[in-house]
Amino acid sequence: MIRTEDLSFSYRKGPEIFEAFSWQALKGESWAIIGPSGCGKTTLLYLIAGLMKPISGTVVIDGQVITRPRPKTGLILQDHGLLPWYTVEENALLGLRIRRMYGPDGRHAPEDTHLGEAEMKQVVESFMERFGIGHLKNKYPSQLSGGQRQRTAILRTLVMNPDLLLMDEPFSNLDVPTREDLEELVMDLQRELGMTLVVVTHNIEEAVFMGRRLMILKGHPNRSPECIENPLAFSRGNRVSTNYLNLCADIRSRLEKPS
């Protein structure tokens, strides 16, 4: 699904963040990328999303070399990005309506996009009910809690039916119960929809819950990522298990070791 091949990148006049960096994620996998602030987690996500271009090397998704954002990639940021003058329903419909304006051109919208207005509203309504905010459809972002705003932002992306979902610390500003509830909802949908998931986080417990595969980034330049299989992902009961806590402690110790 995703391949980075000999990827190198640095910001202007800055140190090299990635150097000959190669990595692969298979279709349907869930990856959590974890590391200290400034290690390159978000930069890697933006390179995969096609929002930034490498200095050398390539990012390949589903056989396509990425030179710009692709229609089937969904991106969810820490900032909800909701339009304050739109209701929950209007915000959730926004991406679908923009796609309809372009038509199924294969660049801005997938080639198999053919939803009419009534069909779009039906899809959005179904997701709003699944996310528990159907009763808020006519509310504005200023009238919502942080968790409700983030639910709206997530469902706005998922109604677009992405095959790849990229998330950049999407739950970092939420209280623990709300964050864990949304983590579980996203993972349920990831498995149901068969999406490939890459989530960037600085929260070790979140990484261990959401990532069947874990990537640890440390310092510059990142050349060969440390990747770990995680059989404890997704299970709600594992959050308090000894094995879960031991794996979190192991990840913490790996992060503390010098690169």
Side-chain angles (χ1 to χ4, degrees):
M1 180 67 180
I2 309 171
R3 293 197 326 272
T4 65
E5 299 177 345
D6 294 324
L7 191 71
S8 294
F9 180 84
S10 65
Y11 292 98
R12 182 177 297 180
K13 297 183 180 179
E16 195 159 36
I17 299 173
F18 294 98
E19 181 182 52
F21 180 89
S22 296
W23 163 73
Q24 177 174 282
L26 301 180
K27 185 175 180 62
E29 286 187 333
S30 64
W31 280 81
I33 304 175
I34 191 162
S37 296
C39 70
K41 303 186 300 296
T42 296
T43 298
L44 179 58
L45 205 71
Y46 285 4
L47 287 165
I48 296 171
L51 296 175
M52 296 191 301
K53 295 181 180 180
I55 293 173
S56 62
T58 56
V59 176
V60 180
I61 299 178
D62 203 23
Q64 173 190 0
V65 176
I66 298 303
T67 59
R68 52 170 287 145
R70 62 188 284 272
K72 294 286 283 183
T73 295
L75 177 63
I76 298 172
L77 304 176
Q78 183 177 344
D79 179 9
H80 314 105
L82 302 179
L83 298 181
W85 55 88
Y86 270 15
T87 64
V88 167
E89 182 181 40
E90 290 168 334
N91 269 290
L93 282 164
L94 181 62
L96 290 174
R97 284 175 169 165
I98 291 173
R99 276 188 174 178
R100 188 181 178 199
M101 177 182 70
Y102 282 106
D105 63 356
R107 285 173 58 83
H108 306 89
E111 294 177 351
D112 57 355
T113 299
H114 300 288
L115 293 180
E117 184 71 16
E119 293 172 302
M120 292 190 298
K121 286 188 174 182
Q122 187 176 15
V123 170
V124 165
E125 185 170 338
S126 174
F127 269 95
M128 286 193 297
E129 292 301 322
R130 180 68 185 274
F131 275 73
I133 57 173
H135 62 295
L136 302 172
K137 61 185 292 184
N138 295 318
K139 298 289 187 181
Y140 292 90
S142 62
Q143 299 172 298
L144 305 178
S145 69
Q148 291 165 344
R149 288 193 293 271
Q150 193 62 299
R151 285 173 187 268
T152 304
I154 293 170
L155 78 86
R156 178 182 58 188
T157 299
L158 293 185
V159 298
M160 314 266 287
N161 193 29
D163 60 3
L164 171 61
L165 181 62
L166 308 176
M167 307 181 80
D168 186 15
E169 301 199 22
F171 312 126
S172 60
N173 291 330
L174 304 178
D175 59 78
V176 172
T178 301
R179 185 186 74 218
E180 292 184 353
D181 183 55
L182 279 173
E183 289 169 359
E184 292 169 5
L185 178 57
V186 167
M187 297 315 300
D188 286 342
L189 289 166
Q190 184 263 338
R191 285 174 288 179
E192 289 177 23
L193 301 175
M195 295 181 297
T196 305
L197 172 68
V198 181
V199 58
V200 160
T201 180
H202 65 272
N203 185 300
I204 294 173
E205 289 75 17
E206 181 170 270
V208 173
F209 179 78
M210 299 188 72
R212 184 71 73 181
R213 305 287 304 279
L214 305 173
M215 180 198 297
I216 298 176
L217 298 180
K218 293 184 180 180
H220 303 159
N222 292 288
R223 298 186 179 91
S224 179
E226 184 177 4
C227 298
I228 302 169
E229 293 279 353
N230 174 23
L232 302 178
F234 311 162
S235 176
R236 291 161 171 81
N238 276 341
R239 290 189 189 269
V240 293
S241 72
T242 299
N243 288 338
Y244 177 86
L245 297 175
N246 286 342
L247 180 55
C248 290
D250 178 57
I251 299 299
R252 185 169 286 106
S253 68
R254 291 171 187 260
L255 287 168
E256 291 171 352
K257 290 179 181 178
S259 50

